Amino acid sequence: MARAIYPGSFDPMTFGHLDIVKRARKIFDQVIMAVVANPGKSPLLPMEVRMRLIEETVNDLGGITVGSFQGLTVDYAKENETFCLIRGLRAISDFEAELGMAQTNKQLFPELETIFLMTKAEYSFISSSTVKEIVRLGGDVSEFVPKPVNDYLKQNFSRGITE
Ligand code: ADP
């Protein structure tokens, strides 16, 4: 059974991520969406919420599981005996960092391949950072995120975030 890991912060999951995971499922029997606990970033949503919202979004699609990890992606791939990583590319500006990451991962785990998938043009400008910025200012992100994510954001941040 061909299996791949799609790692990311998914803070929160967007239509861009959804498009990529659907494309990945056409190639692989199983895709693990792995939420990265990145201590360097201060997330908008706690890990459990990010995972739950992904689960609710991909539940009906089949063949997609949700996991989480701390530390190196290569270690998570080894633990799950998975030899393929999925990454999404929005624009040429993503490429440089992604190329460096793919080459580093290959050095650390030579059996690992990284596959890049391009999103639909209409989703290519969507990023979790933009969504968070709009949420902070109390705006509507329903065009950018799946329904479970939008419902959660509306319930919890309808007036934006004032720090
Ligand atoms: P990270 O913090 O690891 O970049 P993200 O959650 O921002 O995590 O993104 C995870 C992956 O999804 C990355 O490969 C990123 O390039 C890709 N991605 C994010 N948004 C989009 C989008 N709109 N279209 C295509 N790929 C995307």
Side-chain angles (χ1 to χ4, degrees):
M1 192 176 73
R3 190 167 54 193
I5 294 172
Y6 178 25
S9 308
F10 305 114
D11 182 39
M13 183 178 190
T14 67
F15 281 136
H17 297 130
L18 181 60
D19 188 48
I20 295 293
V21 77
K22 281 183 178 170
R23 284 164 192 257
R25 260 293 281 130
K26 290 186 186 157
I27 308 171
F28 294 92
D29 302 302
Q30 197 201 353
V31 178
I32 306 171
M33 289 188 75
V35 184
V36 187
N38 186 341
K41 292 185 183 174
S42 54
L44 176 69
L45 305 180
M47 169 69 82
E48 316 74 63
V49 173
R50 282 183 269 162
M51 292 177 73
R52 175 161 55 79
L53 296 176
I54 298 173
E55 266 155 19
E56 287 174 19
T57 303
V58 301
N59 198 18
D60 296 342
L61 300 176
I64 303 170
T65 56
V66 183
S68 68
F69 68 97
Q70 267 190 330
L72 292 174
T73 308
V74 289
D75 290 338
Y76 184 74
K78 282 181 195 168
E79 279 161 28
N80 284 277
E81 295 180 10
T82 303
F83 304 96
C84 194
L85 286 187
I86 301 292
R87 294 291 286 174
L89 288 179
R90 280 165 287 207
I92 196 81
S93 48
D94 278 341
F95 183 74
E96 205 170 334
E98 291 292 343
L99 178 68
M101 233 176 333
Q103 283 170 334
T104 307
N105 285 336
K106 186 87 182 154
Q107 190 83 20
L108 295 171
F109 182 14
E111 288 85 2
L112 191 71
E113 298 298 340
T114 302
I115 294 190
F116 295 105
L117 296 173
M118 263 65 70
T119 185
K120 264 191 203 155
E122 63 197 272
Y123 300 142
S124 63
F125 65 95
I126 303 176
S127 71
S128 297
S129 322
T130 311
V131 167
K132 279 186 277 198
E133 197 52 37
I134 299 171
V135 167
R136 285 206 172 92
L137 299 170
D140 173 22
V141 291
S142 55
E143 281 178 64
F144 309 131
V145 299
K147 188 169 186 304
V149 178
N150 188 49
D151 289 348
Y152 179 89
L153 294 173
K154 263 175 43 190
Q155 261 168 26
N156 290 275
F157 306 109
S158 60
R159 293 188 191 158
I161 302 170
T162 45
E163 275 133 327

